[in-house]
Amino acid sequence: MPRVVPDQRSKFESEEFFRKLSRECEVRYTGYRDRPIEERQMRFQTGCRDGRSDVAFVATGTNLSLQLLPPQSDNVSSRGQPGQEFVDFEREAGKVFLQAPMILNGVCVTWRGWLDLQRLDGMACLQFDEERARAEDLLAQQNIEETRRRTREFEHRERQHREDMQHVISPFRDKTELHGSSVSTQPRNN
């Protein structure tokens, strides 16, 4: 199953879902809603430093679990800490600026935005990730070619197997035909 759709840019530009989220809109931290605000603030900052955060686009109710790391870092345990490119506490006092590349509904996008460290809300948008889209398209093409190659190999082996079975069965079929022709099919007169 491919991870991306064939024409990612077209889907990003034409679907209402992406069009809404490609404009900067209000976002909120959604983690630990049942805890006091001070604990939520601490957990939010800790999560960001660890390379993850749960946020929602307020207008659409779209909840995302952000991975604030390069897309090649699929193995959570071996990723390490996110770089300043993905989590920036220093750009502006009282805010954290976040960036999270992802594949969303078959389209390579990057979540970009900021959240206030006290209120745990801010502004963000989705941007089409052209470079990653090209890489994923290439990977999808390679997977399709590999699948075609494997199918051809399977069909060749299957054909070869049927031919081999024909050679094994043929001698038995010939003997059956010989025995069958010597037996008379006419009724006997008593």
Side-chain angles (χ1 to χ4, degrees), residues 112-127:
R112 291 185 200 276
W114 59 268
L115 281 92
D116 183 281
L117 296 173
Q118 296 300 309
R119 295 189 323 262
L120 302 178
D121 64 4
M123 301 294 282
C125 67
L126 293 179
Q127 297 175 341

Side-chain angles (χ1 to χ4, degrees), residues 3 19 21 34 59 63-65 67 81 94 117-118 122 136 157 171 185:
R3 294 167 19 135
R19 285 204 324 258
L21 299 182
D34 61 332
N63 287 279
L64 298 171
S65 215
Q67 301 298 311
Q81 301 296 311
L117 296 173
Q118 296 300 309
E136 287 291 335
R157 284 193 310 270
T185 57

Side-chain angles (χ1 to χ4, degrees), residues 156-183:
H156 174 73
R157 284 193 310 270
E158 186 69 20
R159 223 178 2 263
Q160 190 66 42
H161 176 72
R162 273 184 267 149
E163 289 173 6
D164 292 346
M165 291 307 291
Q166 279 301 115
H167 294 307
V168 170
I169 294 173
S170 285
F172 293 112
R173 193 176 292 153
D174 294 343
K175 287 181 182 179
T176 306
E177 289 172 2
L178 282 174
H179 292 292
S181 62
S182 63
V183 175

